[in-house]
């Protein structure tokens, strides 16, 4: 009895030790960063046959657009060319508010406005995971800002969610779709920015890359133009395998190779939320 009792005590102590709490946080961060958050979709360099995995997070895609000419930063732990010198507080400020360590506003292609909603726990988890990324030395070109960078925040995503709000399935789905910045790609751009209020999920964004040109599709609940007439399984297959309802293959930058690891419960929540997006014809 005594021996069993003390063994249980020892196990209890191990389970609640700071070390295992930390490794749970890292695991959660790994799940988010390499899944729904698709950080590597921008921050990992790409070669002719896709992402260069052994250089993961060492600096990625470049954009030259009217508001900026930038390259996705090296976010490995290298102190000189990566983010090894950022403190946790500075990283939080960058991720949620879009302000860099040197005080500059990050280019608005970095979806920081979509991370304002991130729960404190998930933000801690992302940072805990980033700390485990091995340093890779790779200096990316300095950013050029051609105008003041804004920090657009999607409606409903203005402040951090609590774990309690996430117990509602549709709210959980909204949370996941927001941090995944799905609607940033799937909502048309108007003169005042993304038209979330009037055209949420209507599609129309153009993306050019080695795949040619892809145009984001209507993912509102419209039965004829959107995904309102699709089954749950068809929606999940499009998200996680990149296969449309008619069986055709989808192109990047739709992040299906990242979404492949999204859990069944999270996928259910995403579908539950997408069903509530008003139809756009
Ligand atoms: C759509 C592309 C895109 C996605 C997705 C993205 N980023 Fe970025 N990120 C960028 C670009 C581009 C920059 C550089 C902007 C600049 O220099 O102003 C950047 C900058 C950063 C910086 C600032 C580093 C520095 O140079 O000071 C950090 C940290 C960062 N991203 C982390 C992340 C993390 C973590 C994720 C996932 C949660 C993520 N990013 C998702 C494009 C992206
Ligand atoms: C970086 C931009 C980007 C992000 C982020 C993104 N998508 Fe997409 N998505 C696209 C593009 C572009 C296509 C069309 C690809 C093609 O035509 O080959 C697409 C296609 C789709 C389709 C297929 C629709 C059809 O008619 O076949 C669905 C469903 C979808 N996305 C849902 C989502 C969801 C849900 C998320 C977030 C978890 C998401 N997307 C995030 C760009 C994006």
């Amino acid at each position: 009895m005594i021996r069993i009792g003390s063994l249980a005590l020892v196990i209890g102590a191990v389970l609640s030790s700071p070390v295992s709490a930390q490794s749970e946080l890292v695991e959660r961060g790994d799940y988010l960063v390499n899944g729904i958050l698709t950080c590597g979709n921008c921050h990992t360099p790409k070669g002719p046959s896709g992402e260069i995995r052994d250089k993961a997070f060492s600096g990625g895609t470049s954009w030259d657009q009217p508001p900026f000419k930038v390259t996705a930063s090296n976010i490995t732990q290298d102190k000189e060319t990566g983010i090894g010198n950022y403190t946790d507080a500075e990283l939080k400020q960058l991720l949620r508010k879009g302000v860099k360590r040197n005080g500059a506003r990050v280019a608005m292609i970095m979806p920081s406005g979509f991370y304002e909603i991130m729960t404190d726990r998930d933000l801690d988890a992302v940072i805990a995971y980033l700390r485990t990324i091995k340093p890779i030395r790779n200096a990316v070109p300095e950013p050029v800002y051609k105008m003041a960078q804004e920090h657009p925040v999607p409606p409903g995503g203005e402040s951090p969610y609590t774990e309690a709000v996430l117990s509602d399935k549709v709210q959980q789905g909204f949370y996941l779709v927001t941090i995944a910045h799905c609607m940033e790609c799937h909502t048309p751009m108007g003169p005042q920015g993304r038209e979330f209020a009037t055209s949420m999920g209507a599609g129309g964004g153009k993306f050019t890359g080695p795949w040619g040109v892809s145009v984001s599709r209507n993912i509102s609940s419209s039965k004829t133009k959107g995904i309102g007439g699709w089954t749950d399984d068809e929606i999940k297959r499009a998200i996680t395998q990149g296969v449309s309802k008619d069986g055709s293959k989808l192109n990047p930058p739709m992040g299906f190779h990242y979404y492949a690891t999204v859990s069944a419960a999270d996928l259910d929540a995403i579908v539950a939320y997408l069903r509530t997006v008003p139809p756009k014809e």
Side-chain angles (χ1 to χ4, degrees), residues 68-71 73 100 102 104-107 140-146:
F68 47 71
K69 183 175 181 195
V70 290
T71 300
S73 314
K100 287 194 192 182
N102 63 9
R105 173 69 88 192
V106 79
V140 307
E142 285 295 313
V144 178
Y145 305 120
K146 304 179 197 170

Side-chain angles (χ1 to χ4, degrees), residues 6-197:
S6 56
L7 187 62
L9 264 180
V10 169
I11 292 171
V14 169
L15 286 179
S16 60
S17 74
V19 172
S20 80
Q22 185 61 20
S23 64
E24 261 173 43
L25 210 54
V26 170
E27 204 178 302
R28 171 80 184 156
D30 186 351
Y31 170 75
L32 292 168
V33 166
N34 293 308
I36 194 85
L37 292 173
T38 65
C39 308
N41 209 12
C42 294
H43 286 279
T44 293
K46 292 179 185 69
S49 50
E51 287 176 3
I52 307 170
R53 292 308 305 165
D54 60 346
K55 301 237 167 74
F57 305 112
S58 67
T61 312
S62 300
W63 291 265
D64 188 356
Q65 293 181 356
F68 47 71
K69 183 175 181 195
V70 290
T71 300
S73 314
N74 178 343
I75 58 166
T76 72
Q77 286 296 303
D78 187 60
K79 284 195 192 301
E80 271 166 55
T81 63
I83 58 167
N85 277 331
Y86 265 86
T87 65
D88 285 2
E90 286 167 344
L91 274 177
K92 284 185 187 179
Q93 159 110 328
L94 181 283
L95 290 171
R96 267 211 194 121
K97 300 290 170 195
V99 177
K100 287 194 192 182
R101 191 161 176 264
N102 63 9
R105 173 69 88 192
V106 79
M108 50 196 163
I109 186 121
M110 163 68 195
S112 50
F114 291 76
Y115 305 150
E116 292 259 6
I117 194 175
M118 210 180 269
T119 64
D120 290 338
R121 176 172 169 262
D122 281 350
L123 191 61
D124 286 343
V126 166
I127 292 170
Y129 173 71
L130 292 177
R131 296 289 183 212
T132 69
I133 298 174
K134 72 168 191 317
I136 297 177
R137 213 186 146 75
N138 177 43
V140 307
E142 285 295 313
V144 178
Y145 305 120
K146 304 179 197 170
M147 55 178 81
Q149 300 300 303
E150 285 165 28
H151 176 68
V153 178
E158 294 85 359
S159 46
Y161 262 23
T162 60
E163 302 292 330
V165 175
L166 292 181
S167 60
D168 177 90
K169 196 170 172 182
V170 172
Q171 292 285 355
Q172 189 199 345
F174 174 72
Y175 174 74
L176 293 164
V177 163
T178 303
I179 62 175
H181 74 118
C182 312
M183 293 309 184
E184 185 178 33
C185 290
H186 283 277
T187 301
M189 191 70 157
Q192 310 295 331
R194 300 268 161 213
E195 299 179 319
F196 294 119

